[in-house]
Amino acid sequence: MKTVSGRWRLGSIGGTLLWSALLAVGAYAQTDPLPSWNQGPAKQAILDFVRDTTDPSSPRFVSSAERIATFDQDGTLWVEHPMYSQVKYCLDRVPAVVAAKPELKNVEPFKTVLSGDREATTSLSMKDLETILVATLTGMTTDQFQSEVEKWLATAKDPRWNRPYTELTYQPMQELLKYLRSHGYKTYIVTGGGQDFVRVYAERIYGIPPEQVVGTMGGTKYGYDENGKPILTKDAKLLLNDNNAGKPEGIQLMIGRRPNAAFGNSTGDQQMLEYTKAGDGARLAMLVLHDDATREYAYGPALGLPDTKVGTFTQALFNQAEKDGWLVISMKNDWNHIFAFEK
Amino acid sequence: MKTVSGRWRLGSIGGTLLWSALLAVGAYAQTDPLPSWNQGPAKQAILDFVRDTTDPSSPRFVSSAERIATFDQDGTLWVEHPMYSQVKYCLDRVPAVVAAKPELKNVEPFKTVLSGDREATTSLSMKDLETILVATLTGMTTDQFQSEVEKWLATAKDPRWNRPYTELTYQPMQELLKYLRSHGYKTYIVTGGGQDFVRVYAERIYGIPPEQVVGTMGGTKYGYDENGKPILTKDAKLLLNDNNAGKPEGIQLMIGRRPNAAFGNSTGDQQMLEYTKAGDGARLAMLVLHDDATREYAYGPALGLPDTKVGTFTQALFNQAEKDGWLVISMKNDWNHIFAFEK
């Protein structure tokens, strides 16, 4: 921030200092770690938090070994509307599942998905959806699953932007991940999505290695293939539903310490943010509000935005954020870019 | 190794080079990363493995982001005889549990433990032991548990050495952990012991942070204390028994990729070593054999060593090690020091 005010001061002195001013702008552009964030309370809170927790002379200093930042994924790091990408993956896998088990062809909910009737598919019950998730996410080895997801990611495209899902990550959050890591923070994804699914691409698209992806966890079963080679087969046993109260539980299981900073965008992140903020010292909790229908989507229903089942941000959550000192990030006002491909 | 042969060559030239030879010895003492290991196939295998996987020109090179080494704890990193330290902790906690719930005083197995009859206590059935583990490891908040374990660690002593349990770590393995980390390896504990128990001291005594401790996992339940502050309470739900087949399953859950190197000492580590060795490229699998009754303990029953229920190393495991190219570390022959306090 010093550089910014310095720049305006230089500019105000007059034309003779034009070159100095331009150089200062250049230096600022190079050194601003969060160029896609507009100046404002959200950006300032991040800069203050990092300064306070990494300056050894600060009373709020955190040793580098203890610096943990956790990020929800869907709606926080990438687009979640109109449908979670993983759900789209599972629906897209149904033909392959039915090809391998033709007896499912005329059985619901597979029949509806195969019919191609989009409206009927999006109206499937939670129970039907679970049947599809189990059929498409379990029963194969971990290696087979990884290669199936990779193949899908390479070809599937979001219909609105006509781009691979992995390009629909938010540029400001990518900058934030890098900025935190460059200051010694370990960045974790803590998602309600499937842990193994997100791990397939998290390292490539977010720089987050598999061991730092915490998600909804299914079990695996150790065994041997026909050549006696060890394999792990994904089974349908649910170990942890990493959403709501499951998020702090998943953090305890996978990380074993309380985050210093946590970022989310919906009611599923409430407990993670509470748990983070309840720690001593400097704690940062932030919520992304989708209030930009032009550049992305607008949904809530906080602040009168349209209601949704995908990434609900209720007025009660908004009120809790105000009361507990969580910052709300307005996509519309706080982000000057949303996607890298806009530039 | 080059330094070692260099030293002998220097020494063989004659007395005029005495000083050079001494200086070379000094340099060697400073640079040998594994001074508590005797020269031999075990030490050589470690040095070769690290050289091959960290030299970018080697066909067996592994990028630093992917370098994972996993270590069993009991009997591999520290003493496990005559009883796992965590079991001792649980037995020592029984009086406090009964003080809080006096109705347990005359109920088995608490009654036997309270009687102080050591023989009767060590003869408790597996089911009785489980009752004690559940009573002493669950029901409290994660913060309370951590503080109880810390208090015990500060006072409890192993009867043979009359030292805190945390001093009974093997110096050669401590050197190995540091050596691997200094070459970009992430070191993990993968233990049948309780994940939360080991996390209390792993960072302090092994340099391994909580997020790199994989152990037997119980669930937690998110809730609020009487002041509305978020808490996590340890519950009795077993998520994963991190032993035998549970070790590769736990590695998949917590790390999400196959280790490059794995170290164990008993049949409980067999699947972890198989899984590690089944990967492509350079893979190191090693087993510590307790064959030194004078300096530590001798048990097997591989190679005719006395049989044991704690850390069983069967002849079948020994044969599998030979067949599959796992190296057996002889405590007696491969380690010139066992404990740091010997020096």
Side-chain angles (χ1 to χ4, degrees):
Chain A
M1 307 318 292
K2 281 173 192 163
T3 322
V4 173
S5 34
R7 166 185 138 198
W8 293 123
R9 252 185 273 127
L10 276 172
S12 68
I13 295 173
T16 54
L17 283 174
L18 180 65
W19 277 105
S20 307
L22 285 174
L23 286 170
V25 171
Y28 173 68
Q30 278 180 345
T31 54
D32 179 4
L34 302 171
S36 299
W37 292 71
N38 293 321
Q39 298 303 325
K43 181 171 184 170
Q44 194 58 49
I46 295 167
L47 295 170
D48 290 349
F49 169 80
V50 169
R51 186 198 57 216
D52 286 357
T53 56
T54 59
D55 172 1
S57 70
S58 158
R60 307 186 344 148
F61 178 70
V62 177
S63 76
S64 63
E66 291 176 283
R67 292 177 200 155
I68 304 277
T70 56
F71 292 80
D72 168 58
Q73 187 194 217
D74 294 304
T76 299
L77 294 179
W78 75 352
V79 174
E80 65 184 346
H81 268 223
M83 188 190 282
Y84 298 122
S85 303
Q86 187 181 355
V87 173
K88 187 70 172 67
Y89 168 77
C90 292
L91 294 174
D92 286 356
R93 283 293 301 167
V94 166
V97 166
V98 173
K101 289 188 189 171
E103 67 273 21
L104 295 177
K105 197 178 167 184
N106 293 309
V107 176
E108 289 297 355
F110 303 98
K111 193 178 163 187
T112 293
V113 177
L114 287 173
S115 74
D117 181 340
R118 244 185 101 169
E119 202 171 322
T121 299
T122 51
S123 306
L124 287 173
S125 70
M126 207 52 211
K127 198 171 160 292
D128 281 341
L129 194 58
E130 272 172 26
T131 303
I132 291 167
L133 300 192
V134 168
T136 54
L137 300 174
T138 68
M140 69 293 286
T141 69
T142 49
D143 288 347
Q144 283 162 351
F145 178 70
Q146 178 164 341
S147 106
E148 284 162 11
V149 175
E150 273 167 359
K151 218 159 65 185
W152 180 80
L153 287 171
T155 53
K157 285 186 175 174
D158 173 88
R160 175 166 166 190
W161 285 279
N162 194 33
R163 288 178 177 272
Y165 291 95
T166 46
E167 289 189 23
L168 300 185
T169 66
Y170 305 133
Q171 181 62 15
M173 298 306 280
Q174 292 276 16
E175 291 168 6
L176 177 54
L177 287 167
K178 286 198 189 94
Y179 176 55
L180 288 168
R181 287 197 293 263
S182 74
H183 284 77
Y185 276 90
K186 273 193 183 174
T187 53
Y188 282 81
I189 288 174
V190 178
T191 174
Q195 183 165 289
D196 287 343
F197 183 82
V198 179
R199 279 171 165 175
V200 176
Y201 55 82
E203 189 151 35
R204 179 167 57 85
I205 76 160
Y206 301 120
I208 295 179
E211 61 269 28
Q212 286 165 223
V213 174
V214 182
T216 292
M217 304 166 201
T220 56
K221 204 168 161 36
Y222 182 80
Y224 306 90
D225 70 9
E226 64 280 10
N227 302 314
K229 205 180 150 164
I231 49 172
L232 288 165
T233 304
K234 287 171 68 59
D235 70 22
K237 187 182 171 193
L238 179 70
L239 295 180
L240 189 123
N241 180 1
D242 195 57
N243 208 11
N244 301 110
K247 290 209 173 190
E249 293 165 6
I251 288 168
Q252 170 61 25
L253 182 67
M254 296 283 294
I255 311 177
R257 46 184 157 201
R258 195 190 301 261
N260 308 91
F263 303 85
N265 77 299
S266 77
T267 50
D269 302 309
Q270 178 201 328
Q271 290 85 348
M272 174 168 77
L273 269 60
E274 283 174 356
Y275 179 64
T276 299
K277 272 296 249 187
D280 298 331
R283 305 281 166 171
L284 183 65
M286 300 185 92
L287 284 168
V288 174
L289 179 68
H290 294 258
D291 57 356
D292 193 334
T294 309
R295 295 188 299 168
E296 204 243 11
Y297 292 99
Y299 51 91
L303 307 180
L305 293 167
D307 202 355
T308 177
K309 279 183 190 167
V310 176
T312 315
F313 191 134
T314 59
Q315 190 60 42
L317 185 68
F318 191 88
N319 297 344
Q320 185 172 0
E322 288 227 307
K323 186 171 77 64
D324 293 350
W326 310 348
L327 275 102
V328 174
I329 300 162
S330 158
M331 292 182 83
K332 192 171 179 176
N333 301 319
D334 286 313
W335 291 356
N336 59 58
H337 281 90
I338 292 189
F339 302 112
F341 57 76
E342 283 171 13
K343 296 196 174 177
Chain B
M1 308 311 294
K2 281 174 193 162
T3 325
V4 173
S5 37
R7 165 185 140 200
W8 293 122
R9 253 185 272 124
L10 276 171
S12 68
I13 295 175
T16 55
L17 283 174
L18 180 65
W19 277 105
S20 308
L22 285 174
L23 287 170
V25 170
Y28 173 69
Q30 279 180 344
T31 54
D32 179 3
L34 302 171
S36 299
W37 292 72
N38 293 322
Q39 298 303 324
K43 181 172 186 170
Q44 194 57 50
I46 295 167
L47 296 170
D48 290 349
F49 169 79
V50 169
R51 187 198 56 216
D52 286 357
T53 57
T54 59
D55 173 0
S57 69
S58 158
R60 306 187 347 148
F61 177 71
V62 177
S63 76
S64 63
E66 290 176 284
R67 291 176 200 155
I68 305 278
T70 56
F71 292 80
D72 169 58
Q73 186 194 217
D74 295 304
T76 299
L77 293 179
W78 75 351
V79 174
E80 64 184 346
H81 268 223
M83 187 189 283
Y84 298 122
S85 303
Q86 186 180 354
V87 174
K88 187 72 172 65
Y89 167 78
C90 293
L91 295 173
D92 286 357
R93 283 291 303 167
V94 166
V97 166
V98 173
K101 290 187 189 172
E103 67 273 21
L104 295 176
K105 197 178 167 184
N106 293 309
V107 177
E108 290 297 356
F110 303 98
K111 193 179 163 188
T112 293
V113 178
L114 287 173
S115 75
D117 180 340
R118 241 185 103 167
E119 203 171 321
T121 299
T122 51
S123 306
L124 287 173
S125 70
M126 206 54 211
K127 198 172 159 291
D128 281 341
L129 194 58
E130 273 172 26
T131 303
I132 291 166
L133 299 192
V134 169
T136 54
L137 300 175
T138 68
M140 68 293 286
T141 69
T142 50
D143 287 348
Q144 284 163 350
F145 178 71
Q146 178 163 341
S147 106
E148 285 163 8
V149 175
E150 272 167 0
K151 217 158 67 184
W152 180 81
L153 288 170
T155 53
K157 285 186 176 175
D158 173 89
R160 176 166 164 189
W161 286 279
N162 193 33
R163 288 177 178 272
Y165 291 95
T166 46
E167 289 188 23
L168 300 185
T169 65
Y170 305 133
Q171 181 63 16
M173 297 306 279
Q174 292 276 16
E175 292 167 5
L176 177 54
L177 287 168
K178 285 199 189 94
Y179 177 54
L180 288 168
R181 286 197 293 262
S182 75
H183 283 77
Y185 276 91
K186 272 194 182 173
T187 54
Y188 281 81
I189 289 174
V190 178
T191 174
Q195 183 165 290
D196 288 343
F197 183 82
V198 179
R199 279 172 165 174
V200 176
Y201 54 82
E203 189 150 37
R204 180 167 56 87
I205 75 161
Y206 301 119
I208 295 179
E211 62 269 28
Q212 284 165 223
V213 174
V214 182
T216 291
M217 304 167 203
T220 56
K221 205 168 160 37
Y222 182 79
Y224 306 89
D225 70 9
E226 62 281 10
N227 303 314
K229 205 181 150 165
I231 48 172
L232 288 164
T233 304
K234 287 170 67 61
D235 72 21
K237 186 183 171 191
L238 179 69
L239 296 181
L240 188 122
N241 181 1
D242 195 58
N243 209 11
N244 302 109
K247 291 210 174 191
E249 292 164 6
I251 288 169
Q252 171 62 26
L253 183 66
M254 296 282 294
I255 311 177
R257 46 185 157 200
R258 195 190 301 260
N260 308 90
F263 303 85
N265 78 300
S266 77
T267 51
D269 303 309
Q270 177 200 328
Q271 290 85 349
M272 174 168 75
L273 269 61
E274 283 173 357
Y275 179 64
T276 299
K277 273 295 251 188
D280 298 331
R283 307 279 166 172
L284 183 64
M286 301 186 92
L287 285 167
V288 174
L289 179 68
H290 293 258
D291 57 356
D292 193 333
T294 309
R295 296 188 299 168
E296 203 246 11
Y297 292 99
Y299 51 92
L303 307 179
L305 293 167
D307 202 353
T308 177
K309 279 183 191 167
V310 176
T312 315
F313 192 134
T314 59
Q315 191 61 41
L317 185 68
F318 191 89
N319 297 345
Q320 185 172 0
E322 290 226 305
K323 185 172 77 65
D324 293 349
W326 310 347
L327 275 102
V328 174
I329 300 162
S330 159
M331 292 182 83
K332 192 171 181 176
N333 301 319
D334 286 312
W335 292 355
N336 59 57
H337 280 91
I338 292 188
F339 302 113
F341 58 77
E342 282 171 15
K343 294 195 175 179

